[in-house]
Amino acid sequence: MNIKKVMLAFAASAMLAGGCTSLDMDPVSDITDLNYWKTPEQFDSFVFGLHSRFRSHSWNMFLLGEARSDVFGGIPFGGEATQGMERFPYNTLNAENPGISGFGDLYQNINQMNLFISRTLHTDVLTESARNYYLGQVYGLRAYYMYQLYCSWGDVVFTEEPSLGFEVGKLAKAATPAAEIFEQVKKDIESSLSYFGSDYTIKEKKSLWSKAATLMLKADVYLWSAHRDGGEGDARTAKNALVDIQNNISRSNLDLMDTYQGVFAYDNKGNKEIIFTIHNELFEYNLWNGNNDLFPQADYLGKFYNADGTLINTSVENNFGIMRLMVKLENFKKFLPGDTRRDVTLKDVYNKVENGELELVGLYPHKYWGVMNGSTRVRCDDYPIYRYSDLLLMLAEAKVLLGEDPATEINRVRQRAFGDAYDASTVGFPNQEIDKYPADAVLQERLFEFMLEGKRWYDLRRFGDSYVLDYTPAESARLLWPINQGALTNNPLLKQTVGY
């Protein structure tokens, strides 16, 4: 985002925040609200503020989307205390240790979206095209937030009324049944698409919500229901949403990057593969709010070895993390030889055993490589939410559900992954062993393609509870998240998630 607009956005967000409620919403002062919404620039700044708040929620969204999956597990190789974060991959969360409190703070931004929608629907300050574009964005953003809440907690509170002042009692309401939340998500998606109309533009290095982002969300949502009771009808709706993007955005603006590493290059943000991303920048904002729980400390990393037997160079791998969660070692070994995604995604760490041979002892993220600021590596990479390979693999998923051939989409992703090592007869679909089961093939391809992008737990959930139980130690009665006691105390009409 433009720095000036970011500062305006944060100023607007700060001005509109006034305290906490039982839903961790930020109430808006009646006086402040009456003195806002006077110019187009104020509406524009508010929308940037919504995206800035989205960015501040990225770590919680990552945890909700991946931490409980089979990506993580084991003891950090540097010996750090996991401080309870092992409860995510071991799926030992409970009411006393919920992992994430306050619904991930997501209601803070939902309240601001409610306020924006309310004021934008009744303003005469904006042109019709600006009004429609903003509403397309914000209905899409709200649908995305509510979908995260639905996937994570099921029954959650929903209100379209913004909280004004400190009327806490008005927010102390019972949760809406999950089925109704799901329908609300679909309703907001359709509102977003209606307001966007024929506008497929993607702005600010792909860091602003767009019609394409809403269509990606629509495909995600309808694939979720297609795996359950929606069947072929919902699978076709998902497919049509994805084809809509392909038909209306040129390949020069949206396509696979030539190399997997190029997707994440710091000097190529907003590249043609990106559909929607959380934008970070040096001296502006760091990846995942600056959280370093997946990265090792530089002071002990230099005692370990690279795969070629040389000591790790901490002037290059100069990490300043405190590893609480480690990628499971077996995930490194799942990649087939020649798959470039492995070494872009993960850094492998070795110890020397008595006979001098190397033993794999650790893994940490490498796809977010950041940029050097003097002698310090700063992780201010963008964090992709949707990209074109996601479109291709969701399209393959829809085709499998419809009994169609997913080879074209799967093989485009595999061919890019293997580059010059690609051999259709051995690694192309349907020639891998897993390809006998096309749904499993798509799911595995998504693991390799999107590891550390906050998708794996959601993918397992979407494909069905049996997948979650096969791939993780989760219990069938505890696939949703518990609610922290503070939220239950502040809103006595809430009930603890079933199973906890």
Side-chain angles (χ1 to χ4, degrees):
M1 292 185 188
N2 176 279
I3 295 294
K4 181 179 178 181
K5 287 191 174 183
V6 168
M7 295 306 294
L8 284 170
F10 274 115
S13 294
M15 179 184 70
L16 294 171
C20 294
T21 75
S22 58
L23 290 180
D24 291 324
M25 290 184 176
D26 292 342
V28 178
S29 163
D30 289 302
I31 297 174
T32 301
D33 184 54
L34 287 172
N35 286 281
Y36 203 70
W37 317 110
K38 303 296 186 183
T39 67
E41 290 76 17
Q42 289 176 323
F43 283 86
D44 193 53
S45 293
F46 201 101
V47 172
F48 273 88
L50 295 176
H51 286 84
S52 295
R53 283 173 171 269
F54 191 116
R55 178 168 61 179
S56 71
H57 296 147
S58 61
W59 176 243
N60 279 343
M61 287 182 174
F62 171 79
L63 293 177
L64 289 170
E66 191 147 344
R68 294 179 65 181
S69 75
D70 54 339
V71 169
F72 298 103
I75 300 172
F77 67 93
E80 295 100 327
T82 55
Q83 291 193 332
M85 291 192 74
E86 78 285 349
R87 288 184 176 274
F88 293 127
Y90 295 152
N91 279 273
T92 56
L93 301 173
N94 54 46
E96 292 73 33
N97 302 280
I100 291 179
S101 297
F103 299 96
D105 296 330
L106 301 188
Y107 278 108
Q108 293 178 354
N109 216 13
I110 292 171
N111 187 55
Q112 303 294 62
M113 294 172 197
N114 289 345
L115 177 66
F116 183 86
I117 290 170
S118 173
R119 298 301 177 260
T120 306
L121 285 171
H122 302 101
T123 186
D124 57 4
V125 170
L126 299 170
T127 64
E128 183 177 1
S129 61
R131 171 180 169 276
N132 289 347
Y133 181 70
Y134 290 148
L135 287 172
Q137 287 182 293
V138 178
Y139 272 111
L141 285 168
R142 190 172 75 177
Y144 185 87
Y145 268 69
M146 293 307 302
Y147 187 49
Q148 312 310 302
L149 291 171
Y150 164 81
C151 292
S152 300
W153 286 278
D155 299 348
V156 290
V157 171
F158 176 72
T159 177
E160 295 186 88
E161 293 299 319
S163 169
L164 296 174
F166 295 90
E167 299 166 338
V168 176
K170 289 188 177 181
L171 293 176
K173 58 184 296 185
T176 301
E180 294 181 29
I181 295 295
F182 196 67
E183 290 307 309
Q184 180 63 45
V185 170
K186 289 182 176 180
K187 179 181 175 182
D188 276 359
I189 286 172
E190 294 310 314
S191 293
S192 173
L193 294 176
S194 176
Y195 280 113
F196 272 126
S198 60
D199 190 345
Y200 287 85
T201 56
I202 310 179
K203 302 178 181 179
E204 294 286 338
K205 294 185 177 180
K206 315 279 187 77
S207 66
L208 291 182
W209 194 269
S210 64
K211 181 171 184 177
T214 299
L215 287 167
M216 290 292 290
L217 175 61
K218 181 174 183 176
D220 193 344
V221 168
Y222 278 86
L223 284 172
W224 180 286
S225 54
H227 281 286
R228 290 162 175 79
D229 55 3
E232 290 191 2
D234 282 2
R236 193 162 301 281
T237 298
K239 178 183 176 182
N240 290 341
L242 299 167
V243 172
D244 187 340
I245 298 172
Q246 290 182 316
N247 288 342
N248 287 286
I249 301 179
S250 70
R251 294 288 74 78
S252 62
N253 292 324
L254 188 60
D255 203 350
L256 291 182
M257 291 290 289
D258 293 337
T259 66
Y260 188 70
Q261 187 171 22
V263 178
F264 308 97
Y266 182 83
D267 59 358
N268 195 26
K269 291 174 179 284
N271 57 67
K272 66 178 181 179
E273 183 154 338
I274 301 300
I275 296 175
F276 176 63
T277 190
I278 293 177
H279 180 67
N280 302 300
E281 197 78 41
L282 184 64
F283 307 128
E284 179 190 322
Y285 212 84
N286 289 347
L287 175 72
W288 293 327
N289 315 43
N291 192 285
N292 288 312
D293 285 345
L294 308 185
F295 300 94
Q297 299 177 45
D299 59 1
Y300 67 71
L301 186 58
K303 303 173 184 177
F304 293 93
Y305 295 84
N306 297 301
D308 62 3
T310 60
L311 283 168
I312 291 176
N313 183 352
T314 55
S315 66
V316 176
E317 298 286 339
N318 52 348
N319 298 276
F320 295 95
I322 303 178
M323 183 179 281
R324 308 296 188 195
L325 277 177
M326 189 175 76
V327 177
K328 292 170 70 173
L329 299 181
E330 50 262 44
N331 282 319
F332 190 77
K333 303 169 185 177
K334 289 179 180 178
F335 289 88
L336 293 178
D339 190 335
T340 62
R341 293 173 295 190
R342 186 194 70 178
D343 293 337
V344 172
T345 302
L346 300 170
K347 171 59 184 170
D348 45 331
V349 178
Y350 298 84
N351 206 354
K352 282 189 176 179
V353 294
E354 291 183 3
N355 60 6
E357 293 184 359
L358 296 172
E359 175 189 20
L360 180 66
V361 295
L363 297 168
Y364 61 89
H366 229 223
K367 66 167 52 172
Y368 307 116
W369 190 227
V371 65
M372 294 298 291
N373 177 30
S375 60
T376 303
R377 184 168 301 284
V378 182
R379 286 194 172 79
C380 42
D381 307 87
D382 283 7
Y383 179 52
I385 302 299
Y386 291 125
R387 49 191 182 89
Y388 193 70
S389 59
D390 200 357
L391 184 154
L392 291 174
L393 291 177
M394 282 202 287
L395 186 51
E397 185 180 337
K399 285 186 172 183
V400 170
L401 289 167
L402 291 168
E404 300 174 6
D405 184 4
T408 298
E409 290 74 26
I410 292 176
N411 285 337
R412 281 211 66 196
V413 174
R414 288 182 180 175
Q415 189 168 7
R416 196 266 298 274
F418 285 87
D420 293 341
Y422 180 75
D423 181 351
S425 66
T426 57
V427 298
F429 186 92
N431 298 314
Q432 292 187 27
E433 182 67 23
I434 198 170
D435 294 341
K436 295 177 182 177
Y437 312 97
D440 292 2
V442 172
L443 184 61
Q444 177 175 274
E445 209 62 43
R446 290 185 63 84
L447 171 64
F448 296 152
E449 184 72 17
F450 304 117
M451 189 181 296
L452 301 173
E453 294 183 44
K455 294 183 181 290
R456 179 61 172 176
W457 175 257
Y458 286 152
D459 283 351
L460 293 173
R461 293 285 325 281
R462 187 174 73 248
F463 273 67
D465 293 355
S466 62
Y467 283 90
V468 186
L469 302 179
D470 284 346
Y471 285 94
T472 77
E475 301 175 29
S476 59
R478 292 189 169 191
L479 299 184
L480 295 172
W481 292 68
I483 301 173
N484 65 295
Q485 187 57 51
L488 296 171
T489 300
N490 291 333
N491 182 359
L493 297 181
L494 278 180
K495 295 181 180 180
Q496 182 58 270
T497 307
V498 174
Y500 296 93

